[in-house]
Amino acid sequence: MVSDVRFAELTTLHVGGPIERLVTGTTQRDLVDLAREAWSSGAPWLVLGGGSNLLVGDDGFAGTVVRVATRGIEVLPGGDDGASVLLRVQAGESWDELVAFTVDRGYSGIEALSGIPGSVGAAPVQNIGAYGQELESTLVAIEFLDEFADEPRRMTAAELELGYRTSVLKRGLPGIVISIELRLHDTSAERAVLGEALGQPIAYGQLADALHVQLGDRVPIASVRQSVLALRAAKGMVLDDTDLDSVSAGSFFTNPIVSERVSRTLPGAAPRWYLAPDEPDAVLPLAGGLAQSPLDEFLALEASFEASDTVTDAGAGEPLVKLSAAWLIEQSGIHRGFTLPGSRAAISSKHTLALTNRGGASADEIVQLARFVQHRVQAEFGIVLHPEPVLVGIEL
Ligand SMILES: Cc1cc2nc3c(=O)[nH]c(=O)nc-3n(C[C@H](O)[C@H](O)[C@H](O)COP(=O)(O)OP(=O)(O)OC[C@H]3O[C@@H](n4cnc5c(N)ncnc54)[C@H](O)[C@@H]3O)c2cc1C
């Protein structure tokens, strides 16, 4: 029997069809038991947090959706080394409420990630980032329940292979993030001297401008949060019931990473950022070598796909360059507010990278618009834009 809940009610894009079976874990024990029950049924399953990075098709999902609603923020005893604190946070906590909690306490390290919608458990999935900070710089480990495992195990941040809006979780390692551990800077000693808690050095030009400081300066942590929230609101990038531009999944496309050679084919005005040289390639064991665990096999396999998936035509050792997806879209003739004739999906009126639902759009209308943007950019610049949200029942 199909439940009467649709993804449209549980995602920030407000699109997506019916959910066959929806279960909600409010305690860690519940969550583990519900997941194991779903896995043992053999039917398809999907984890759901706040639904802010998901585009689900109009046909919905024929399987079990496990919604994560566990709560709890702990400052771990013994984790305080005088300069930093260790926090364990349950996956169902709201990410932004966590940031507000840390800012109130004067713990710095995630203040620039204020206003990102969604749950704590989804944060490592795409290594959330904004305004010069990424989760990666504070994440120590996660508690992870592998598909078919009886109990959660600890995975260190290094094992997650976090990258620009990606991780082994986003690339398909099946399971559920149960909780995360973060190490944040404890500013209390500094506060005793200065009278206020300072955030981490500002690492994003637009944020520095808004705060009237230089890159690398430190300002009160509460001001960083306030400025980031204001900047985000001006772009429709905080959820707001009165702002149709926020009915989105955030940035719909990632910034493409291409070889320097490909980047030279673009007009001189195209924004570009050189990336630090790559780590040396992992050496994969020869067939018949040492036995690998299922996790090792998965990591080796997906590492071999990753390079070709995200990087366009880069020879070994060639420098890589990150491009601006927003610039490419605008320069291909698609402007803010753009919509296809008769469609209820539109480019945000504040930000070219967000695809929005102007009221009653179907998933298919969002998909048509996304394909149009991809085709325009590819026709103009030969560059393929990749979607940032997780797609379910949809291919682009
Ligand atoms: C207005 C707006 C602004 C945004 N701005 C940003 C931004 O600045 N930076 C940024 O990085 N992102 C941004 N996003 C994207 C989104 O908020 C983040 O990716 C967020 O972490 C998604 O959390 P969620 O709980 O809503 O995940 P969901 O959408 O529910 O799920 C996303 C994916 O994670 C998986 N998942 C969720 N929870 C778990 C779990 N506990 N264990 C395992 N897998 C799980 C799901 O199966 C799915 O594959 C924005 C989105 C919106 C709507």
Side-chain angles (χ1 to χ4, degrees):
M1 199 182 77
V2 175
S3 80
D4 53 5
V5 183
R6 302 175 67 80
F7 269 103
E9 298 157 38
L10 300 176
T11 57
T12 55
L13 257 171
H14 296 328
V15 300
I19 294 174
E20 185 174 300
R21 184 164 171 264
L22 175 66
V23 296
T24 303
T26 54
T27 65
Q28 200 178 59
R29 192 65 261 160
D30 248 14
L31 189 57
V32 171
D33 289 347
L34 289 169
R36 283 169 39 193
E37 191 189 310
W39 295 336
S40 64
S41 78
W45 59 276
L46 176 72
V47 193
L48 178 69
S52 63
N53 211 28
L54 267 180
L55 172 55
V56 185
D58 294 312
D59 292 340
F61 188 72
T64 302
V65 171
V66 181
R67 185 162 50 169
V68 181
T70 48
R71 304 304 296 254
I73 304 177
E74 289 164 85
V75 180
L76 294 180
D80 186 343
D81 61 9
S84 68
V85 285
L86 196 58
L87 262 56
R88 182 186 298 127
V89 191
Q90 297 303 314
E93 278 288 340
S94 140
W95 173 262
D96 191 49
E97 284 174 24
L98 169 66
V99 179
F101 170 92
T102 61
V103 167
D104 277 353
R105 298 257 180 139
Y107 302 149
S108 73
I110 54 173
E111 58 278 10
L113 302 179
S114 292
I116 298 181
S119 63
V120 161
V125 173
Q126 72 156 8
N127 183 26
I128 56 169
Y131 294 96
Q133 283 180 354
E134 267 188 339
L135 179 74
E136 186 174 10
S137 59
T138 54
L139 186 72
V140 175
I142 65 172
E143 238 183 318
F144 185 68
L145 183 69
D146 279 294
E147 188 177 12
F148 302 125
D150 280 340
E151 293 301 329
R153 68 189 174 91
R154 194 166 187 272
M155 276 181 92
T156 62
E159 285 176 271
L160 294 175
E161 296 187 0
L162 301 167
Y164 166 61
R165 297 301 86 78
T166 191
S167 71
V168 291
L169 306 169
K170 187 149 180 190
R171 297 194 292 269
L173 182 65
I176 300 189
V177 178
I178 301 290
S179 69
I180 72 171
E181 262 175 52
L182 295 178
R183 184 163 286 285
L184 300 177
H185 303 267
D186 182 0
T187 60
S188 48
E190 199 177 56
R191 199 168 12 160
V193 178
L194 299 174
E196 57 190 357
L198 299 183
Q200 288 305 292
I202 302 295
Y204 198 82
Q206 206 178 30
L207 180 58
D209 292 347
L211 287 159
H212 308 292
V213 298
Q214 302 294 314
L215 279 175
D217 285 353
R218 296 182 62 205
V219 299
I221 186 170
S223 312
V224 180
R225 175 165 168 80
Q226 246 171 13
S227 282
V228 167
L229 288 175
L231 283 169
R232 296 184 68 96
K235 297 178 187 171
M237 284 289 170
V238 278
L239 295 183
D240 175 351
D241 289 343
T242 65
D243 184 0
L244 276 184
D245 284 324
S246 76
V247 185
S248 76
S251 299
F252 196 87
F253 296 105
T254 52
N255 288 323
I257 295 172
V258 300
S259 69
E260 187 186 35
R261 199 156 28 99
V262 169
S263 81
R264 274 197 249 110
T265 65
L266 297 173
R272 60 197 88 200
W273 300 271
Y274 277 84
L275 299 182
D278 258 349
E279 295 292 314
D281 285 346
V283 179
L284 301 182
L286 295 171
L290 290 175
Q292 287 185 296
S293 72
L295 173 65
D296 291 336
E297 274 173 30
F298 170 84
L299 293 176
L301 187 66
E302 62 89 31
S304 65
F305 289 136
E306 189 193 353
S308 57
D309 190 33
T310 55
V311 179
T312 309
D313 187 28
E318 224 188 309
L320 296 178
V321 177
K322 193 196 273 185
L323 305 172
S324 160
W327 187 93
L328 293 167
I329 295 170
E330 273 166 25
Q331 298 304 311
S332 71
I334 296 175
H335 302 295
R336 293 172 193 186
F338 174 88
T339 182
L340 292 168
S343 173
R344 293 163 294 183
I347 301 290
S348 158
S349 71
K350 303 187 182 79
H351 194 320
T352 332
L353 260 189
L355 271 56
T356 64
N357 177 350
R358 310 313 284 187
S362 62
D364 197 47
E365 283 169 281
I366 304 283
V367 169
Q368 296 307 326
L369 181 59
R371 287 192 183 136
F372 184 81
V373 173
Q374 280 180 318
H375 288 157
R376 285 294 314 130
V377 169
Q378 191 167 13
E380 201 65 34
F381 300 109
I383 291 187
V384 179
L385 293 181
H386 292 279
E388 183 180 303
V390 173
L391 308 181
V392 177
I394 281 174
E395 275 184 36
L396 276 184

